[in-house]
Amino acid sequence: MREVFEEWRPVVDREIERLLPRTIDEAYLSEFFGSARYEYDSNGLQRALSDPVWNLLDRGGKRWRAIVFLLLVEGFGEDPDEYLQYACIPEILHNGTIIVDDVEDEADMRRGDPALHHISGKDVALNAGNAMYFFPLKILTHNPADLSAERRLSAYEMLMHELNRTHLGQGMDIYWHNKQTIDITEAEYLEMCACKTGCLGRIVARLAAIVTGQDDATEQTVGEFAELMSVAFQIGDDILDIETSDEDGGAFGKAAGNDIREGKKTLMVIHAANNASPQEVARMENILWADENTTEEIETVVELLYETGSVDYAREKAQQLSNDARACLQQLDLDPNVADQLAAFTRFVIDRDV
Amino acid sequence: MREVFEEWRPVVDREIERLLPRTIDEAYLSEFFGSARYEYDSNGLQRALSDPVWNLLDRGGKRWRAIVFLLLVEGFGEDPDEYLQYACIPEILHNGTIIVDDVEDEADMRRGDPALHHISGKDVALNAGNAMYFFPLKILTHNPADLSAERRLSAYEMLMHELNRTHLGQGMDIYWHNKQTIDITEAEYLEMCACKTGCLGRIVARLAAIVTGQDDATEQTVGEFAELMSVAFQIGDDILDIETSDEDGGAFGKAAGNDIREGKKTLMVIHAANNASPQEVARMENILWADENTTEEIETVVELLYETGSVDYAREKAQQLSNDARACLQQLDLDPNVADQLAAFTRFVIDRDV
């Protein structure tokens, strides 16, 4: 697994840099976005678009969405190098959602540095984030790899479907965040994850299927694979936040126990709310709802999540989703070597030993 | 003119309500966005999506983008009723940009009420605004009026082009807003308007051309018409803000002189910066840059804009753009009655006597 990441990550970064150079000028703007009617302020766009985007991208990120895309293309028997621009689409979209989510959540930090809106200002950050929603779709209009009209139309329609559901997921998550009572069902929680996180995964996989001309059944199965893996990854991430809550936990660039401070309604929290005493639930709801938390309060919730078996429950759920993802893989007629790498990736989402 | 608006506005509103009902449930969500994998929280989505969107839409707005779309469809000899869903696309996009812009600008008020983020919270407002960027594109995937694959692909590609340029326009505007010195050329200012405001106008017009199957030349000319009209409208709006700065100026639901308070670099301000003494320019830059302004300071800038002939200059520019828009109209083979109504509309953007 590690080798694949090390091989492809710089390739992906170079391609993103080709699509959105660190230094932009009139010639680039005209070529990528079309000629100005009057005259672009390329210096202004440098500051308002390229600088903030690269500020975020340079902080890291595994680019796993691009890399899974490229693996899938290879698995379908095509040359990944031909589809590099498409690989950047979900990666840029993902980083756009990070910027916007951080404004919505009033996040302080991102990947070890102040969240972008604290550096560029809320206005610049938000517009750059939103630009990153549409920028990758503009890549499609340039038609890299010379796709047929039919495939291009499929790609647009798929993207519109998934990007709409992404916003439903974020809408549910925000609504839950804004109320103290925890009365979310597990099915609703999984739907939120499937929409908010899973849809970007689905874009990765379905786009790989579409650009390489797979049939509809393959596109659906590979989409399901990526969704399941993404949801498993999300739950795995939430578990990690609890598990490392006594450590300094910088592994993923996030402060440990942060989800509790943010009042996040994770699968563990929902499970605990259904399995603890009314007094314990009320205490947990108060702690999650409070603007500030003491270390003791964080520990109280962490203990409750362990006592109610919620951490184990979530780990089993993530494991099951990861197993289901591998079952999808087996239904696909992928190059066996690639299938093995993708299967390893679904295990990584639980173990994080890459 | 007034009759056209009065006839179509309720029709457009009913259609938007069909697309996004005031009360949403699982059945609606499944039909519009596709089935849930697990289970939607339809109550949550009611609060996070439908309620905020309708809170804004119910405040008014002329729906002129939808109405110009329908007029153009009629002008091309087709039945507007068949394309009502498409008419809602630019209208929903426009209202999405309003929500997002208000967060970016930290606006207090919108259409006489507190800006949406002050009512729904920044997170809900932003996500609803962003959802309104993608929601209308989902309408296309439902393929109302049973368009050919070729027309649908053209529609997606056109939308991606224009929506990318929209974000360039907003990026330039924000960058200028964040610096005190006024060193913008008129060409850069017009480009910003052509991108930020003009592109939505172009979507209106080009979409009408695409769905009714006009040739490329017609699509380009009608797009140019709408862009010119939109930029003229924007300049007209800026002039109105200055002209009504001694009145209570509620006509457009905006506080008069507001652009000066917000430090907006309008065409008038740019013209004044090029035609006033260095001392006067420095004074104007200070006033525009300050967080708070006295009434006297507002009057100082208003007087400078008049003294430098900048208000007249901007009015002439708007008039010229409006004339150019009518020249585009004349190149088009539109139903004469419709062409007259559209020509009247280009005059309204200067006179606002509708």
Side-chain angles (χ1 to χ4, degrees):
Chain A
M1 273 305 294
R2 189 175 281 128
E3 297 71 32
V4 178
F5 275 86
E6 282 171 6
E7 181 194 341
W8 281 113
R9 195 184 182 288
V11 177
V12 170
D13 280 348
R14 269 198 303 276
E15 193 64 29
I16 296 176
E17 204 170 330
R18 251 193 290 266
L19 290 164
L20 179 64
R22 287 170 189 275
T23 305
I24 61 181
D25 57 18
E26 179 82 24
Y28 161 75
L29 291 167
S30 299
E31 196 187 326
F32 191 86
F33 295 104
S35 302
R37 156 78 69 159
Y38 304 94
E39 190 184 359
Y40 286 123
D41 175 6
S42 48
N43 178 49
L45 290 168
Q46 175 73 41
R47 310 292 187 86
L49 185 63
S50 182
D51 287 352
V53 170
W54 280 105
N55 184 303
L56 180 69
L57 290 174
D58 281 338
R59 297 180 190 192
K62 297 193 166 40
R63 315 281 188 254
W64 72 257
R65 290 166 187 82
I67 294 166
V68 168
F69 174 93
L70 295 167
L71 277 174
L72 283 169
V73 167
E74 194 182 343
F76 289 133
E78 300 283 334
D79 180 4
D81 283 318
E82 276 190 43
Y83 300 93
L84 276 176
Q85 290 192 39
Y86 292 105
C88 301
I89 289 178
E91 208 52 66
I92 299 170
L93 283 171
H94 165 66
N95 281 282
T97 66
I98 281 181
I99 297 173
V100 176
D101 285 9
D102 280 352
V103 175
E104 288 173 359
D105 301 345
E106 300 186 332
D108 292 326
M109 301 291 287
R110 170 62 65 178
R111 294 176 186 158
D113 277 314
L116 191 65
H117 57 276
H118 289 302
I119 290 176
S120 305
K122 196 169 56 184
D123 49 1
V124 169
L126 255 185
N127 189 61
N130 279 170
M132 289 170 88
Y133 287 175
F134 289 106
F135 183 96
L137 304 171
K138 180 75 192 166
I139 295 171
L140 275 181
T141 73
H142 291 157
N143 196 15
D146 199 17
L147 304 184
S148 68
E150 193 191 355
R151 288 188 195 176
R152 294 163 72 197
L153 184 57
S154 292
Y156 284 117
E157 306 222 308
M158 178 278 286
L159 282 158
M160 294 313 132
H161 177 76
E162 304 298 350
L163 289 170
N164 267 276
R165 277 180 39 91
T166 303
H167 286 85
L168 297 187
Q170 177 72 348
M172 287 189 274
D173 200 21
I174 288 171
Y175 172 67
W176 299 340
H177 189 79
N178 289 343
K179 65 174 191 176
Q180 184 166 359
T181 312
I182 303 163
D183 56 359
I184 307 152
T185 66
E186 184 178 312
E188 287 168 341
Y189 175 79
L190 292 172
E191 186 67 29
M192 185 277 287
C193 286
C195 288
K196 181 173 166 165
T197 313
C199 284
L200 256 171
R202 292 173 62 85
I203 287 172
V204 169
R206 294 182 67 188
L207 193 61
I210 290 169
V211 298
T212 59
Q214 308 305 310
D215 60 30
D216 287 352
T218 301
E219 183 189 333
Q220 289 313 314
T221 304
V222 80
E224 203 172 329
F225 153 73
E227 177 190 308
L228 289 161
M229 190 178 73
S230 302
V231 177
F233 191 94
Q234 180 61 58
I235 297 172
D237 213 28
D238 295 344
I239 294 169
L240 207 70
D241 184 73
I242 298 305
E243 285 186 333
T244 56
S245 60
D246 293 323
E247 310 163 20
D248 88 4
F252 281 77
K254 289 169 70 176
N258 210 21
D259 290 349
I260 297 170
R261 279 189 191 85
E262 285 178 9
K264 203 168 157 188
K265 273 87 169 179
T266 62
L267 182 61
M268 292 171 285
V269 165
I270 292 165
H271 182 269
N274 288 326
N275 289 279
S277 70
Q279 290 80 2
E280 287 170 324
V281 175
R283 175 94 180 106
M284 178 170 69
E285 286 177 342
N286 280 332
I287 293 171
L288 291 174
W289 188 246
D291 287 335
E292 300 279 332
N293 290 130
T294 63
T295 311
E296 272 179 339
E297 286 173 332
I298 302 292
E299 279 166 9
T300 301
V301 174
V302 171
E303 275 167 29
L304 185 66
L305 297 182
Y306 277 108
E307 278 165 21
T308 49
S310 302
V311 179
D312 285 342
Y313 180 82
R315 191 178 291 106
E316 279 160 30
K317 190 79 206 170
Q319 197 67 62
Q320 181 201 317
L321 291 162
S322 169
N323 291 346
D324 292 349
R326 280 192 296 282
C328 287
L329 268 187
Q330 284 168 1
Q331 288 175 49
L332 294 165
D333 185 26
L334 290 175
D335 174 280
N337 183 34
V338 171
D340 283 352
Q341 286 174 313
L342 289 169
F345 195 68
T346 64
R347 286 189 194 93
F348 157 74
V349 304
I350 314 298
D351 299 331
R352 305 290 167 93
D353 60 352
V354 80
Chain B
M1 275 306 292
R2 188 174 282 128
E3 297 71 33
V4 178
F5 275 86
E6 282 172 4
E7 180 194 340
W8 280 114
R9 195 183 182 290
V11 177
V12 170
D13 280 349
R14 269 199 302 276
E15 194 63 30
I16 296 176
E17 204 170 329
R18 251 193 289 266
L19 289 164
L20 179 63
R22 287 170 189 275
T23 306
I24 61 181
D25 57 18
E26 179 83 25
Y28 161 75
L29 291 167
S30 300
E31 196 188 326
F32 191 85
F33 295 104
S35 301
R37 157 79 69 162
Y38 304 94
E39 190 184 359
Y40 287 123
D41 175 6
S42 48
N43 178 48
L45 290 168
Q46 175 72 40
R47 308 293 187 87
L49 185 63
S50 182
D51 287 353
V53 170
W54 280 104
N55 183 304
L56 180 69
L57 290 174
D58 281 338
R59 297 180 189 192
K62 296 194 167 40
R63 314 284 187 254
W64 72 257
R65 291 167 187 82
I67 294 166
V68 167
F69 173 93
L70 294 168
L71 276 174
L72 283 168
V73 167
E74 194 182 342
F76 290 132
E78 299 283 334
D79 179 5
D81 284 318
E82 275 191 43
Y83 299 93
L84 276 176
Q85 291 192 38
Y86 293 105
C88 300
I89 289 177
E91 207 52 65
I92 298 170
L93 284 171
H94 164 66
N95 281 281
T97 65
I98 281 180
I99 296 173
V100 175
D101 286 7
D102 280 352
V103 174
E104 289 173 358
D105 302 344
E106 300 189 331
D108 292 326
M109 302 290 287
R110 172 60 65 176
R111 294 175 186 158
D113 277 314
L116 191 65
H117 58 276
H118 289 302
I119 290 177
S120 305
K122 195 169 57 185
D123 50 0
V124 169
L126 256 186
N127 188 62
N130 278 171
M132 288 169 90
Y133 287 176
F134 288 106
F135 183 96
L137 303 171
K138 180 74 191 166
I139 294 171
L140 275 180
T141 74
H142 291 156
N143 196 14
D146 199 19
L147 304 185
S148 68
E150 194 191 355
R151 288 187 194 177
R152 293 162 73 198
L153 184 57
S154 293
Y156 284 118
E157 306 221 308
M158 177 276 288
L159 282 158
M160 294 313 131
H161 178 75
E162 303 298 351
L163 289 170
N164 268 277
R165 278 180 39 90
T166 304
H167 285 86
L168 297 188
Q170 178 72 350
M172 289 189 271
D173 199 22
I174 288 172
Y175 172 66
W176 299 341
H177 189 79
N178 289 343
K179 64 174 191 174
Q180 184 167 358
T181 312
I182 302 163
D183 57 359
I184 308 151
T185 66
E186 184 177 312
E188 287 169 340
Y189 175 80
L190 291 173
E191 187 65 31
M192 184 278 287
C193 285
C195 288
K196 181 173 168 165
T197 313
C199 284
L200 255 171
R202 291 173 62 84
I203 288 172
V204 168
R206 294 183 68 189
L207 193 60
I210 290 169
V211 299
T212 60
Q214 308 305 309
D215 61 30
D216 287 352
T218 302
E219 184 190 331
Q220 289 312 315
T221 305
V222 80
E224 203 172 329
F225 152 74
E227 177 190 308
L228 289 162
M229 190 177 75
S230 302
V231 177
F233 191 93
Q234 180 62 58
I235 297 173
D237 214 28
D238 295 343
I239 295 170
L240 208 71
D241 184 72
I242 297 304
E243 285 186 332
T244 56
S245 61
D246 292 323
E247 309 163 20
D248 87 5
F252 281 76
K254 290 168 69 175
N258 209 22
D259 290 349
I260 297 170
R261 279 190 192 83
E262 287 178 8
K264 203 168 156 187
K265 273 84 168 181
T266 62
L267 182 61
M268 292 171 285
V269 165
I270 293 164
H271 183 270
N274 288 325
N275 290 277
S277 71
Q279 291 79 3
E280 285 171 325
V281 175
R283 175 95 180 105
M284 178 170 70
E285 286 177 343
N286 280 331
I287 293 171
L288 291 174
W289 187 247
D291 286 336
E292 301 280 331
N293 290 129
T294 62
T295 309
E296 272 177 341
E297 287 173 332
I298 302 294
E299 280 166 9
T300 301
V301 175
V302 171
E303 274 166 30
L304 185 67
L305 298 181
Y306 277 108
E307 278 165 22
T308 49
S310 303
V311 179
D312 285 342
Y313 179 81
R315 190 179 290 105
E316 278 160 33
K317 190 79 206 171
Q319 196 68 61
Q320 181 201 319
L321 291 162
S322 168
N323 291 347
D324 292 348
R326 279 191 297 283
C328 287
L329 268 187
Q330 283 167 2
Q331 289 174 48
L332 294 165
D333 185 25
L334 291 174
D335 173 281
N337 182 35
V338 170
D340 284 352
Q341 286 174 314
L342 289 169
F345 194 70
T346 64
R347 286 189 193 94
F348 156 75
V349 304
I350 314 299
D351 298 331
R352 305 293 167 92
D353 61 351
V354 80

